[in-house]
Amino acid sequence: MRGRAVWITSAWGILLAAPLSGLSQRPASSATSAEAAPAASPSASSTATPAPIPPTLLPTPIAVVSTEGLKLSGAVDLGAGKAVIAFGGSVTAGEKASTITLPHRGNMRICPMTKVNLTADSSVASRLRPGGSPGLMMALDQGALEANFQTGENSDVILTPDFRIVISAPGNAEVQVRLGDKGDTCVDNRGDNAPYVTVNSVFDGGVYRVQPNQRVMFQHGSLHEVVDNEKESCGCPPETLKVADNEFPVAQSEGMVALKPPPPNAVKKGVQEAQATAVLSYDGAGGGQVQAKVATAPVVAAPEPPKPAKTKKPGFFHSIGRFFTRLFAG
């Protein structure tokens, strides 16, 4: 019988071919027990509970911020007076600066009246190592922010309408950025161990590196108009700032401090202000031109009260006249 094979049903219901010589020493009961072994139920694996994901593999939120005195929007999880931004959202500070906590990295301060959009840099998602975290992207339209966090293997980016400011390792970032309404962008790279900070122009394509302990002002959003000894701070105004003191004039111009209401117009006493009335007319047949006629009321001065007449005291010649009148009349 050497060279022949027999078919045996395994415990998983699969037919196995084995040479007869290999089974000549095995007792017959072993084959029977193999055939009698029950097959594994296919429904057992389908109903099994999946293993929980280890905490180290769960995504770390990019920011945690208090909900007091600010506005939030986006993918935000609220609870216990705090907001957790998992993947992206925006934070708008009120009349006071707001501090955002960046887990395992540090914090960022958003100056008054400033809105910052936060999101994780998805461009490096495919290159992340296990346990690695992407860089943080911060979009700023107007106002100022102060970043104080540890740099990672992936660069952090601050986006403005004119620039792409890249913060790269190594170093501990103490970067301040202020953006004005005319595109004036102030960048301050503080500290002797400052990170590698480059300012990339969105339109011109040029690059400017901000050295450690250097404060630079890019006027009108251009790399060609650079002031490398900017005197005004690039960060938030002092907390004790008063509008009347004018200690931080840039804060007023950048909208980070509420302006004092202007005093009423001073008008001279007895003078009525001129009033103008504008009438707009639209002529569709005449090329769609809008014409304005302004009628100005004349300035009317209130009549001044009459001055009292001055009474003259009788002089020397008046007394002589009266003497002769009495003399001849008598």
Side-chain angles (χ1 to χ4, degrees):
M1 297 177 62
R2 186 177 298 275
R4 296 179 59 190
V6 295
W7 294 93
I8 302 175
T9 304
S10 67
W12 295 276
I14 303 176
L15 295 178
L16 301 178
L20 185 61
S21 59
L23 300 175
S24 59
Q25 303 297 330
R26 176 174 293 181
S29 61
S30 61
T32 305
S33 61
E35 293 178 359
S41 174
S43 60
S45 59
S46 61
T47 58
T49 303
I53 301 176
T56 56
L57 299 180
L58 294 176
T60 303
I62 62 176
V64 179
V65 62
S66 173
T67 58
E68 183 178 358
L70 49 79
K71 296 180 181 179
L72 298 169
S73 63
V76 179
D77 186 11
L78 302 176
K82 294 185 178 296
V84 178
I85 303 177
F87 303 102
S90 66
V91 179
T92 304
E95 296 183 357
K96 295 183 179 180
S98 301
T99 301
I100 296 178
T101 301
L102 307 177
H104 311 298
R105 298 190 60 186
N107 59 69
M108 181 173 59
R109 194 162 176 244
I110 300 180
C111 300
M113 309 297 182
T114 300
K115 179 180 179 181
V116 178
N117 297 313
L118 304 174
T119 183
D121 187 3
S122 59
S123 63
V124 297
S126 60
R127 304 194 304 268
L128 285 178
R129 60 176 179 82
S133 59
L136 180 65
M137 299 190 70
M138 301 153 278
L140 181 67
D141 291 334
Q142 188 175 355
L145 61 84
E146 299 177 355
N148 186 7
F149 51 78
Q150 297 179 356
T151 57
E153 59 180 344
N154 297 299
S155 301
D156 302 292
V157 181
I158 301 177
L159 297 174
T160 72
D162 301 300
F163 299 114
R164 186 174 185 268
I165 304 172
V166 182
I167 306 174
S168 304
N172 185 24
E174 294 184 19
V175 179
Q176 298 181 357
V177 177
R178 171 170 48 84
L179 176 62
D181 54 353
K182 297 181 180 180
D184 296 342
T185 306
C186 182
V187 181
D188 191 355
N189 191 17
R190 296 186 169 189
D192 297 331
N193 190 28
Y196 197 90
V197 176
T198 56
V199 180
N200 305 266
S201 176
V202 176
F203 302 101
D204 300 335
V207 178
Y208 186 99
R209 182 186 176 187
V210 183
Q211 302 293 334
N213 287 319
Q214 184 183 16
R215 183 187 298 170
V216 182
M217 169 65 78
F218 301 95
Q219 295 180 337
H220 305 100
S222 174
L223 294 180
H224 303 289
E225 302 180 36
V226 181
V227 179
D228 59 357
N229 56 351
E230 172 64 19
K231 297 181 180 180
E232 294 286 351
S233 172
C234 296
C236 302
E239 294 289 344
T240 58
L241 175 66
K242 296 181 180 180
V243 177
D245 296 339
N246 200 21
E247 297 176 355
F248 199 79
V250 177
Q252 299 182 20
S253 62
E254 309 303 351
M256 290 183 286
V257 175
L259 296 178
K260 185 178 180 180
N265 295 332
V267 182
K268 293 183 180 180
K269 187 177 181 180
V271 178
Q272 183 180 359
E273 290 184 273
Q275 299 180 356
T277 304
V279 179
L280 300 179
S281 61
Y282 176 80
D283 186 5
Q289 297 180 354
V290 179
Q291 299 178 354
K293 296 181 180 180
V294 179
T296 305
V299 178
V300 180
E304 297 183 1
K307 296 181 180 180
K310 295 183 179 180
T311 57
K312 296 183 179 181
K313 295 182 179 181
F316 173 75
F317 293 99
H318 181 73
S319 300
I320 294 296
R322 293 180 61 185
F323 171 74
F324 281 107
T325 301
R326 292 178 180 179
L327 179 63
F328 290 106

